Amino acid sequence: MIHHLRAAGTSFVLDARGTGVPVIAHWGSDLGALSRAALESLVDTLIPAVGPSSVDSPLRQSILPVMADGWSGRPGIAGHHEGGTSPAPAFVLSGAELLDAGLRITLDATSLTVVVDIELTPDGVLRQRLAVTNTGDRDYALASLDATLPVPTRARELLDFTGRWPRERQPQRHDIANGTWTRDSRHGRPGHDNAFLMVAGTAGFSFRAGEVWGAHLAWSGDQRLWAESGSTGHRLLGGGELLDPGEVRLATGESYESPWLVSAYSDAGLDGLARGFHRFIRSRRRLPTRKVMLNTWEAVYFDQSAGRLIELADAAAEVGVERFVLDDGWMTGRTDDRRALGDWTVDPVKWPLGLHPLVDHVLSLGMDFGLWVEPEMVSLDSAVAREHPEWVLGAYDNGALPLPWRFQQVLDLANPDAFAHVHAQLSALLREYPISYLKWDQNRDLLGGSAHRHTTATYALMDALRAEFPGLEVESCSSGGGRVDLGVIERTDRVWPSDTNDSLERQSIYRWTAGLVPPEFLGAHLGAATAHTTGRTHELSFRLATALFGHAGIEWDVSTLAPDDRAAVAEWVAVYKRHRALLHSGDVVRSDAGDAARWVHGVVAADASSALFAVVAMTATRDAVEGPATLPGLDPTREYRVTPVRLGAWPRVVQDAMPPWWADGSVTMSGRMLAAAGIPMPLLAPEQALVLEVTAV
Ligand code: DGJ
């Protein structure tokens, strides 16, 4: 049978006729409603010629490419049955089941069964997951089980990401050449340099234009994403968990399930992809209103005392903060980052009455309370490591532990006793205090032990706590943005995209992270004037404009603010509250137009009735007078009023006079004119941003 899945401008056609492994005949632009006969004829027509010096039948990409089908690219499954030689598997189709959202295909080889789940969601997101079961009588050592998707050869350019602490998700782009471009992550977490999203696209694809095919692996452990192009004519995107030899060994009857490869197609550039991904994520995760938070980290670091923090809580409440999050430093003996991870009890020296005085005060101010934890880690200088040195993960064959990283080691959560210890301590805290929010940190690469087992155990701990404490919100942090993926987003409510609160860095981190993750999941904090991570200084209005487009928070000692700044922050909080329903449900748009020095991004309401944009001067512009800034993504047929929003102060400009429309306070234009002609902007000095409120009239 031929299966045709269609949604949101995308078609996926699977040729599952006969007994061979089903072939992906098409993934891309919607083919329209097709009769059975039309589908058959299309699929038959798409069968390629037989190449010279090749197998004697046409080479087509299946959902599990293997040698037995003539495939010489990277195989969909690799492994061996232990003891003796193990012939390569040849699969036949043994079942095709229609599921609510897609298909389940069962493939049998002599000693293996592989089940492939394929879903095309209503938002056009294609998800694939594979499960292998050892049906032989010897153990099966799995090397890899990967999902792959064909892209047409007109996809000529590839975009993926790299980065470092605290400069995550920086784009890298090149032409696709023959060979395999693989991005391995062996950090035990995706890592700051994670490929994140791999996008193949037609020449020159951009935010707003071009055909693009993108894939992301929903997994928080070791992984690889790749693009492969071969002289046999195949071109594909693939992804799967990166397994160590022997890490997954299946006894007879045992199974391994891969993470989901989450992919999408768009003929409207990267914004089209983002829209599909965001809608898909939103359909799975309904988040509560994103409260404005204050996180204590950059305000006080380890210098915690009830008096100091109560003062900070008072100042936070005064500017309109709704949640107060106590960061690292509250646990027994945690005077710095060299000790006490793994002992999840409140420090009796800093907190002689427990956290109660602070928590009670925070609640009395109408805010709720959040707490930082790092459940997967252990300091060797801790009670738990002294009592249970065997719980430290990853000792090598010479007995040595992995090199310390931020003076810490990983706790072996896959050990049921270690798991039970952390679980009991965290549950006790959640029972003792009215904690509505956990900031769940993870601050090192594993560098030993099984990343597969560790990731699975971490997910299990998150799942257990969420089930036990419904309503608990969890933020995923990993030295900033070392773990931003759709696996962790299935079970957490926010990610911390980066440890930098430098607004210039943040503009770029937001621009690219929001290509996959919706803004309401992206923590965005207002930091001190001089950023702690870079030493760069920015004016308040630029910092406010930058921290508006996400889940807003403050990470600054607001108890020390001058009255003007305090008023500006309070006004910003009010603006955020007024616009958060839009910011957290609309479509992210990023303009292609203009000089690389001036970025325009925004969020347009799903019904296009309103939008919020930011025009950002990243550096000095090439020309003294820049062309108009275009605002994409609005309804071309509607009229909109565009009004600049003052955040504390207007951005600094370098000009002799404002564009004339400014004197009127706003300008009204159609969505078509805003996208095509745009509006002349005040000539922003470098590292300044202007926020624009857009309302249909
Ligand atoms: C790393 C995180 O990214 C920071 O935000 C902060 O929570 C520190 N850890 C605390 O140790």
Side-chain angles (χ1 to χ4, degrees):
M1 176 163 182
I2 301 176
H3 302 276
H4 183 196
L5 308 179
R6 289 179 67 208
T10 299
S11 278
F12 178 82
V13 179
L14 191 70
D15 183 0
R17 295 174 296 183
T19 56
V21 180
V23 162
I24 303 169
H26 173 85
W27 171 46
S29 182
D30 184 16
L31 300 171
L34 295 175
S35 67
R36 213 170 141 159
L39 206 52
E40 295 237 349
S41 146
L42 170 83
V43 171
D44 286 341
T45 307
L46 288 175
I47 295 174
V50 175
S53 184
S54 76
V55 291
D56 297 335
S57 44
L59 198 63
R60 302 161 77 204
Q61 194 192 320
S62 80
I63 51 172
L64 189 69
V66 289
M67 272 193 302
D69 299 316
W71 189 256
S72 52
R74 182 176 283 175
I77 184 167
H80 69 279
H81 280 92
E82 288 180 341
T85 52
S86 178
F91 289 92
V92 292
L93 174 64
S94 62
E97 217 183 308
L98 288 183
L99 304 177
D100 280 354
L103 304 167
R104 169 162 294 174
I105 305 291
T106 305
L107 306 168
D108 282 329
T110 304
S111 303
L112 294 173
T113 293
V114 172
V115 174
V116 186
D117 285 339
I118 304 170
E119 295 178 5
L120 185 66
T121 72
D123 317 290
V125 166
L126 188 73
R127 296 207 302 166
Q128 276 168 291
R129 180 175 65 185
L130 299 92
V132 58
T133 302
N134 179 12
T135 55
D137 49 18
R138 287 180 287 150
D139 283 4
Y140 182 69
L142 179 69
S144 59
L145 181 65
D146 296 315
T148 49
L149 281 168
V151 295
T153 43
R154 67 179 181 279
R156 299 231 308 267
E157 294 176 17
L158 194 71
L159 166 73
D160 68 356
F161 296 86
T162 183
R164 64 168 172 85
W165 180 88
R167 189 151 212 264
E168 295 86 342
R169 285 166 296 287
Q170 298 306 307
Q172 48 184 10
R173 188 164 170 159
H174 56 82
D175 287 344
I176 298 177
N178 272 5
T180 308
W181 172 260
T182 303
R183 298 296 315 285
D184 285 358
S185 163
R186 292 172 202 278
H187 302 290
R189 51 179 173 173
H192 296 87
D193 61 348
N194 183 228
F196 184 57
L197 178 66
M198 197 169 270
V199 181
T202 47
F205 71 84
S206 64
F207 287 123
R208 306 293 305 169
E211 276 190 293
V212 281
W213 294 257
H216 164 87
L217 193 74
W219 183 244
S220 307
D222 288 355
Q223 55 189 272
R224 60 180 182 180
L225 268 184
W226 75 91
E228 187 175 87
S229 179
S231 59
T232 52
H234 71 277
R235 185 160 290 190
L236 56 82
L237 294 174
E241 188 177 2
L242 191 59
L243 299 172
D244 268 348
E247 192 174 11
V248 173
R249 178 176 280 109
L250 304 174
T252 304
E254 286 184 344
S255 303
Y256 162 88
E257 189 173 75
S258 78
W260 288 103
L261 186 72
V262 180
S263 313
Y265 160 80
S266 164
D267 61 3
L270 295 168
D271 281 358
L273 271 192
R275 183 178 147 115
F277 286 131
H278 292 181
R279 291 184 172 193
F280 161 70
I281 294 164
R282 286 169 173 162
S283 73
R284 299 181 63 77
R285 301 295 325 281
R286 293 242 167 271
L287 295 179
T289 301
R290 315 288 26 224
K291 296 189 172 179
V292 184
M293 65 165 65
L294 181 132
N295 177 293
T296 60
W297 182 240
E298 288 197 355
V300 302
Y301 291 104
F302 291 104
D303 182 17
Q304 296 187 356
S305 70
R308 174 97 173 75
L309 288 165
I310 281 174
E311 233 176 75
L312 188 58
D314 286 336
E318 210 182 298
V319 295
V321 167
E322 299 161 305
R323 170 174 289 152
F324 188 87
V325 180
L326 182 64
D327 209 280
D328 192 0
W330 57 269
M331 309 94 71
T332 306
R334 182 77 168 164
T335 45
D336 58 22
D337 56 7
R338 296 180 176 228
R339 63 206 87 243
L341 291 177
D343 296 341
W344 302 106
T345 53
V346 178
D347 186 49
V349 178
K350 288 184 195 170
W351 300 99
L353 302 173
L355 297 175
H356 292 289
L358 176 65
V359 176
D360 293 349
H361 191 73
V362 163
L363 263 52
S364 76
L365 292 168
M367 299 186 286
D368 59 35
F369 183 75
L371 191 66
W372 175 94
V373 289
E374 195 175 357
E376 301 154 65
M377 296 291 153
V378 62
S379 310
L380 293 185
D381 184 1
S382 66
V384 69
R386 276 186 289 272
E387 274 165 42
H388 292 287
E390 76 283 7
W391 289 356
V392 179
L393 181 71
Y396 302 120
D397 58 359
N398 63 359
L401 288 174
L403 291 170
W405 180 308
R406 205 191 187 208
F407 316 104
Q408 66 194 55
Q409 294 288 347
V410 179
L411 190 75
D412 185 3
L413 278 185
N415 174 326
D417 296 332
F419 184 99
H421 161 83
V422 180
H423 178 250
Q425 288 200 328
L426 295 182
S427 323
L429 279 167
L430 290 163
R431 275 193 302 272
E432 181 173 358
Y433 297 101
I435 295 168
S436 66
Y437 184 90
L438 283 183
K439 175 177 175 184
W440 186 301
D441 209 344
Q442 196 281 26
N443 282 303
R444 67 160 292 161
D445 283 8
L446 260 51
L447 301 179
S450 163
H452 174 74
R453 282 192 287 280
H454 181 79
T455 307
T456 308
T458 300
Y459 283 174
L461 185 58
M462 288 176 170
D463 293 345
L465 290 171
R466 289 176 70 93
E468 237 171 296
F469 300 94
L472 175 72
E473 287 179 54
V474 180
E475 169 177 12
S476 163
C477 172
S478 183
S479 328
R483 185 154 74 186
V484 177
D485 64 81
L486 299 190
V488 90
I489 281 178
E490 283 282 313
R491 37 187 60 85
T492 55
D493 307 273
R494 183 197 219 230
V495 290
W496 183 229
S498 179
D499 267 348
T500 188
N501 290 313
D502 175 323
S503 297
L504 197 65
E505 299 297 335
R506 275 278 171 166
Q507 284 290 342
S508 147
I509 292 164
Y510 172 83
R511 184 176 184 82
W512 296 109
T513 310
L516 175 73
V517 182
E520 62 272 24
F521 285 88
L522 301 178
H525 290 179
L526 168 66
T530 299
H532 294 198
T533 50
T534 60
R536 218 186 249 136
T537 299
H538 288 122
E539 280 152 64
L540 183 58
S541 68
F542 185 49
R543 281 144 55 217
L544 294 173
T546 303
L548 191 62
F549 288 82
H551 177 192
I554 300 174
E555 198 167 328
W556 186 22
D557 185 356
V558 283
S559 67
T560 59
L561 298 194
D564 281 3
D565 284 354
R566 188 171 299 204
V569 173
E571 195 188 317
W572 167 78
V573 169
V575 169
Y576 168 76
K577 289 178 181 171
R578 201 161 57 243
H579 291 289
R580 67 182 152 191
L582 156 70
L583 287 169
H584 300 161
S585 65
D587 293 326
V588 167
V589 296
R590 295 158 290 180
S591 169
D592 285 329
D595 182 326
R598 187 181 68 190
W599 290 0
V600 177
H601 67 87
V603 178
V604 177
D607 66 0
S609 60
S610 60
L612 207 65
F613 278 88
V615 178
V616 186
M618 295 295 290
T619 65
T621 51
R622 189 196 56 187
D623 301 323
V625 180
E626 281 236 292
T630 52
L631 306 184
L634 297 161
D635 181 343
T637 64
R638 284 164 95 169
E639 292 286 308
Y640 292 92
R641 187 172 52 250
V642 181
T643 314
V645 180
R646 186 173 185 275
L647 293 172
W650 291 115
R652 210 155 27 83
V653 290
V654 184
Q655 64 189 12
D656 290 345
M658 281 288 193
W661 69 266
W662 186 271
D664 299 332
S666 69
V667 62
T668 300
M669 285 171 93
S670 70
R672 187 184 313 282
M673 278 155 61
L674 286 167
I679 311 175
M681 284 292 132
L683 305 177
L684 303 181
E687 300 173 19
Q688 301 287 321
L690 178 65
V691 172
L692 301 169
E693 183 177 347
V694 180
T695 318
V697 291

